[in-house]
């Protein structure tokens, strides 16, 4: 049986806590488990959010468990009475699913120092939004001398075999498909035009990545030159010297909030609340807004600056005016069927 290093670490920490506090059960004694996203999100939270949380909470034990939202929900649903995760991170679609399936706790707004300072759109009582994400076009400026301007550029003949996309398990993949459908007359309720366009894109496809983190790795490995991509996902690559740039397509980049939730029946509810408080604090949001993370903040006391202000928007009012916000309640009605169709039809 393979035992992962994370499992060994978790077990060692848990057993240590149980020896120190013999009255604790195994579930009560385990470290706080935070399911973040893969790639740049994991790196940003490991470097900034986790140290801030530990500093404010007597070096409390915490384990990062990076995975897609759909996998977080499946993992919690498999053990609802004794969930292996305490804090989940979700994009809009999965957040609605998690709330609908009753696997998250209401956020204790009345205890929060920072909730009232969040912009209105981020004040979600079932799990506030500490961050915004923006999806546009990502490209390699060394191989593509004329920056792309439209989603339609992905279909250009000169990009044959050099385009990357993600599957529909990610918000990036599903959100982008909706915009492709919209470009051809479709909408959140009708993505058939998007699937037809994907069929025409096949000659240009070099890879279908499992998630946004894997998509970023394809740029690093030189396997693709252009793709739809998350703004913040490429920033760490840029900081490492990987030639990659972001541009908002003329149709409008996709913007959506990312929410953070206390898992129902968590044995670590108090620490889960404190981790979320750290994520909402102006100190953490200011640090994550700066290079190399460039994550869009939601605390109204954090003024947008640097590359976020120059490339995306100078403030949240401009962000809401410039970018496309999709109807994820409508998308969720058919998303599972779309994922099955994508996995069946889009094979390389």
């Amino acid at each position: 049986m393979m035992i992962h290093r994370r499992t060994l670490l978790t077990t060692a920490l848990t057993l240590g806590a149980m020896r120190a506090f013999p009255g604790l059960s195994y579930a009560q004694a385990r470290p706080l488990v935070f399911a973040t996203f893969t790639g740049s999100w994991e790196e940003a939270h490991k470097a900034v959010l986790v140290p801030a949380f530990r500093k404010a909470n007597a070096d409390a034990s915490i384990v990062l468990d990076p995975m897609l939202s759909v996998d977080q929900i499946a993992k919690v649903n498999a053990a609802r009475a004794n969930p292996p995760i305490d804090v989940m991170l979700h994009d809009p679609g999965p957040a609605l699913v998690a709330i609908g399936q009753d696997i998250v706790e209401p956020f204790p707004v009345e205890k929060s120092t920072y909730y009232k300072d969040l912009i209105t759109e981020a004040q979600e009582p079932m799990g506030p939004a500490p961050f915004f994400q923006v999806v546009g076009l990502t490209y390699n400026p060394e191989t593509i001398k004329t920056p792309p301007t439209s989603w339609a550029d992905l279909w250009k003949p000169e990009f044959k075999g050099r385009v990357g996309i993600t599957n529909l398990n990610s918000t990036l993949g599903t959100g982008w498909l909706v915009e492709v459908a919209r470009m051809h007359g479709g909408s959140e309720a009708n993505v058939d035009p998007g699937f037809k366009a994907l069929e025409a894109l096949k000659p240009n496809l070099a890879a279908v990545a499992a998630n946004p983190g894997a998509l970023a790795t394809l740029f690093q490995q030189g396997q693709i030159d252009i793709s739809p991509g998350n703004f913040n996902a490429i920033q760490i690559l840029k900081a490492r010297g990987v030639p990659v740039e972001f541009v908002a397509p003329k149709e409008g980049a996709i913007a959506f909030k990312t929410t953070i939730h206390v898992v129902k029946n968590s044995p670590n509810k108090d620490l889960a609340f404190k981790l979320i408080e750290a994520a909402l604090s102006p100190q953490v949001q200011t640090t994550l807004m700066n290079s190399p993370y460039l994550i869009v903040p939601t605390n109204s006391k954090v003024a947008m600056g640097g590359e976020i202000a120059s490339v995306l928007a100078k403030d949240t009012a401009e962000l809401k005016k410039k970018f496309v916000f999709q109807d994820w309640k409508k998308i969720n009605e058919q998303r599972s069927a779309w994922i099955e169709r994508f996995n069946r039809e889009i094979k390389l």
Side-chain angles (χ1 to χ4, degrees):
M1 179 177 66
M2 179 181 292
I3 299 177
H4 295 285
R5 188 172 63 175
R6 180 184 295 126
T7 303
L8 286 171
L9 176 61
T10 303
T11 303
L13 289 169
T14 301
L15 292 176
M18 292 178 72
R19 279 196 293 271
F21 304 99
L24 293 177
S25 68
Y26 181 87
Q28 291 170 323
R30 67 164 171 74
L32 182 74
V33 178
F34 172 31
T36 182
F37 299 148
T38 58
S40 60
W41 287 95
E42 180 186 6
E43 293 192 38
H45 288 154
K46 186 176 180 180
V48 179
L49 177 56
V50 169
F53 162 76
R54 297 188 71 186
K55 182 178 180 181
N57 294 284
D59 212 25
S61 296
I62 178 171
V63 173
L64 286 178
D65 197 2
M67 67 185 89
L68 289 169
S69 284
V70 291
D71 297 326
Q72 296 178 33
I73 291 171
K75 200 168 182 178
V76 170
N77 265 321
R80 294 171 71 107
N82 185 22
I85 296 170
D86 301 296
V87 179
M88 293 194 288
L89 195 66
H90 288 314
D91 295 335
L96 290 172
V97 172
I99 294 168
Q101 294 182 353
D102 194 28
I103 59 172
V104 297
E105 294 272 353
F107 183 69
V109 173
E110 69 285 352
K111 289 173 54 182
S112 174
T113 301
Y114 306 112
Y115 187 85
K116 66 181 186 308
D117 295 330
L118 301 179
I119 62 172
T120 304
E121 291 77 6
Q123 293 187 12
E124 294 284 356
M126 291 302 292
F131 319 107
F132 266 114
Q133 293 190 60
V134 176
V135 173
L137 284 160
T138 303
Y139 69 100
N140 181 340
E142 291 186 353
T143 56
I144 298 177
K145 300 303 181 184
T146 302
T149 60
S150 166
W151 297 124
D153 288 348
L154 297 171
W155 280 259
K156 285 184 173 179
E158 59 261 41
F159 300 142
K160 183 177 181 179
R162 301 304 300 168
V163 173
I165 61 174
T166 68
N167 64 32
L168 300 196
N169 286 332
S170 69
T171 299
L172 165 61
T174 298
W176 175 71
L177 175 63
V178 169
E179 292 314 297
V180 172
R182 202 189 310 279
M183 195 167 60
H184 295 280
S187 67
E188 285 94 336
N190 174 23
V191 296
D192 284 345
F195 273 105
K196 186 176 180 181
L198 277 183
E199 188 65 30
L201 185 65
K202 281 183 177 178
N204 280 17
L205 287 180
V208 178
N211 54 61
L215 190 68
T217 300
L218 293 174
F219 277 102
Q220 190 170 20
Q221 296 171 342
Q223 296 187 42
I224 60 175
D225 290 330
I226 186 170
S227 77
N230 285 80
F231 175 74
N232 68 295
I234 70 166
Q235 303 307 325
I236 291 177
L237 292 183
K238 287 181 69 175
R240 291 173 181 160
V242 177
V244 63
E245 293 291 347
F246 175 94
V247 64
K250 65 182 182 183
E251 295 85 3
I254 307 163
F256 55 88
K257 57 193 173 188
T258 298
T259 50
I260 189 167
H261 307 264
V262 178
V263 175
K264 193 168 188 176
N265 298 325
S266 160
N268 289 313
K269 287 181 185 176
D270 187 51
L271 285 177
F273 167 75
K274 290 176 179 176
L275 176 69
I276 295 174
E277 280 290 271
L280 303 182
S281 70
Q283 295 83 4
V284 165
Q285 292 206 5
T286 298
T287 304
L288 289 177
M289 181 184 66
N290 292 320
S291 181
Y293 309 111
L294 300 183
I295 293 174
V296 182
T298 59
N299 190 312
S300 61
K301 293 189 174 180
V302 180
M304 291 192 191
E307 194 163 348
I308 283 181
S310 62
V311 176
L312 297 182
K314 65 179 186 301
D315 53 33
T316 51
E318 186 179 13
L319 182 78
K320 287 187 280 188
K321 184 178 178 181
K322 286 176 60 178
F323 294 95
V324 175
F325 290 84
Q326 299 172 324
D327 183 349
W328 280 92
K329 186 176 180 181
K330 178 62 69 177
I331 290 172
N332 276 0
E333 292 174 2
Q334 301 184 70
R335 189 179 182 192
S336 296
W338 297 348
I339 291 173
E340 290 180 13
R341 180 176 175 183
F342 182 93
N343 293 340
R344 187 173 61 248
E345 296 182 5
I346 310 302
K347 295 179 179 176
L348 300 183

